[in-house]
Amino acid sequence: MLTTQRQTVHLPGSEAYEALRKPLNAALDPRPAMVVEAYGVADVRAAVLTATERNLPLAVQATGHGTHTEANGALLLRTTNMDEVEIDPIRRVAKVGPGARWGAVIDAAAPYGLVPLAGSSRDVGVTGFTLGGGVGWLSRRYGFAADSVIRAQVVTADGRLVCTDEHPDLLWALKGGGGSFGLVTELEFRLYPVKQVWAGIIPFQGDYRALTEKAPDTMSTALIISPEGTKLKVMSTVPVEGFEAIPFREAVMGGTPARHLDFFTGLHDDVMETAVEAGRQATVEIRHWGGAMAGHRGPVAAANASYSVIVSEALPGLSEAFGPHATGGSFLNFLADTGRTPDAFTGYERLAEVKRAWDPRGLFSVGHSIR
């Protein structure tokens, strides 16, 4: 173990290296050249410069949720300890470090009657979720988490610390284009005045398509089909019959692992039949998108979709059955296949231009990277 004034460097063979090199995905067994724990911006800049000097790829993990490839031979930077959360209740804004998790932001904002556009889990890292677009249970009302980003501080591939106030192209790319343009050390985003929601999970035997066609933008829903039965998830910012009002922080909605994912502009009969059949063997989650998400002006391709279908297992024949009706797009937060990264975006050429401008040598190239 090597220790500088602030950061800690763990080399292969140490216990800390073994503990810190692994992401949440147990199928991955990465062997980075070193693991660096960062505690501040100076540590991040030092790690970037070290990776450049030693000609190492740079991989970043806060919680490890979004890691899909092994950082073999790379400098693995852990930002877990940079978990600061600051709430400005007057401006309705949160400012967080790259290691902050949604649970901390939710809890810090709650006393002011404010909420962030968090996802389904309190344990997910804020920055990675947001840079990947970020869809949550308030997104039909307020948009993607990426849409709420006001500014970011970024350590660039040459070790500079810049603010997106002076670089609108970089801000546009970060609002859904992923983390391959630089390393975000501070993220500032809007909060929303939601003191309570009407939410829960109930048995369902109705017509989901008809329900969503009439649903206001204030209500988000998902149909869950599984061997245990069919259920409906609901979260609304206005009263919904059959649901009690609860604080947003107490609404536990959960999510379905995206072993298979497709997007649709409508739910064709064939799509519903395939989903019902798949639900006999696995969990299928049909989620209603649209609403404020359709107003997205960034690179997120899923902004054009009305529905997503997630299946918890990669069952044979799903791609062939869904394919004729699917949009062909994807969503970075749900996408494990890094070979399909371009499918998650619109305006990919513009993203590539930003990548060339800010990371011409491809330092940030591990995982979902713009090529």
Side-chain angles (χ1 to χ4, degrees):
M1 179 181 75
L2 304 176
T3 304
T4 66
Q5 184 177 2
R6 300 181 70 193
Q7 68 185 8
T8 303
V9 181
H10 304 284
L11 300 178
S14 69
E15 291 184 8
Y17 172 89
E18 289 299 320
L20 294 171
R21 69 182 176 86
K22 298 179 180 179
L24 288 181
N25 186 346
L28 299 179
D29 188 29
R31 299 286 174 176
M34 64 183 73
V35 179
V36 177
E37 290 185 273
Y39 293 85
V41 174
D43 302 337
V44 174
R45 296 182 69 186
V48 168
L49 293 175
T50 298
T52 301
E53 291 168 1
R54 301 192 182 191
N55 197 30
L56 299 175
L58 181 64
V60 183
Q61 286 182 20
T63 66
H65 279 85
T67 301
H68 303 295
T69 57
E70 296 179 339
N72 295 324
L75 188 158
L76 174 59
L77 180 63
R78 295 298 303 252
T79 60
T80 311
N81 298 306
M82 298 175 63
D83 58 356
E84 304 85 1
V85 174
E86 178 183 325
I87 305 296
D88 183 339
I90 304 301
R91 295 174 57 222
R92 294 178 178 173
V93 164
K95 186 184 296 183
V96 306
R101 300 175 186 240
W102 279 120
V105 181
I106 292 170
D107 291 345
Y112 306 105
L114 300 172
V115 301
L117 299 185
S120 299
S121 171
R122 292 170 54 90
D123 292 331
V124 168
V126 174
T127 299
F129 175 90
T130 303
L131 298 185
V135 63
W137 289 95
L138 297 176
S139 287
R140 277 182 47 79
R141 176 66 181 86
Y142 296 112
F144 294 104
D147 294 325
S148 292
V149 173
I150 300 170
R151 65 175 54 85
Q153 287 190 353
V154 182
V155 173
T156 64
D158 56 5
R160 290 180 296 140
L161 179 66
V162 302
C163 178
T164 56
D165 285 348
E166 291 81 36
H167 304 286
D169 61 329
L170 180 59
L171 179 62
W172 174 84
L174 292 174
K175 295 176 74 168
S180 69
F181 309 98
L183 206 158
V184 173
T185 57
E186 185 177 275
L187 195 67
E188 190 171 343
F189 51 89
R190 296 182 184 89
L191 301 170
Y192 298 89
V194 178
K195 295 182 179 180
Q196 59 188 11
V197 294
W198 286 260
I201 305 173
I202 60 173
F204 185 76
Q205 295 182 342
D207 185 336
Y208 184 63
R209 285 179 292 190
L211 184 151
T212 56
E213 287 170 359
K214 299 178 180 178
D217 293 352
T218 53
M219 184 169 71
S220 292
T221 63
L223 185 69
I224 309 300
I225 308 170
S226 74
E228 289 72 41
T230 301
K231 298 180 180 180
L232 181 70
K233 291 184 180 181
V234 174
M235 181 178 288
S236 176
T237 55
V238 299
V240 177
E241 184 178 353
F243 293 88
E244 295 184 358
I246 58 175
F248 176 78
R249 64 193 297 184
E250 296 180 8
V252 180
M253 305 302 288
T256 301
R259 303 287 187 266
H260 181 93
L261 169 68
D262 272 314
F263 285 91
F264 304 87
T265 56
L267 292 176
H268 191 276
D269 287 346
D270 292 345
V271 172
M272 293 301 296
E273 291 174 6
T274 300
V276 170
E277 183 62 31
R280 302 182 192 278
Q281 308 173 65
T283 299
V284 179
E285 179 174 326
I286 304 176
R287 188 162 182 166
H288 189 203
W289 291 56
M293 289 181 280
H296 175 71
R297 295 294 178 265
V300 178
N304 299 322
S306 299
Y307 302 92
S308 64
V309 176
I310 285 176
V311 185
S312 64
E313 302 294 336
L315 302 176
L318 286 180
S319 297
E320 293 77 9
F322 285 139
H325 308 286
T327 66
S330 191
F331 187 62
L332 208 62
N333 293 148
F334 297 158
L335 183 62
D337 183 359
T338 56
R340 290 191 59 201
T341 302
D343 294 343
F345 306 119
T346 58
Y348 188 81
E349 286 303 318
R350 183 179 174 185
L351 287 174
E353 290 177 4
V354 178
K355 176 72 170 178
R356 285 192 291 270
W358 290 97
D359 185 19
R361 296 183 180 180
L363 177 66
F364 307 106
S365 60
V366 178
H368 286 300
S369 177
I370 306 300
R371 306 297 178 184

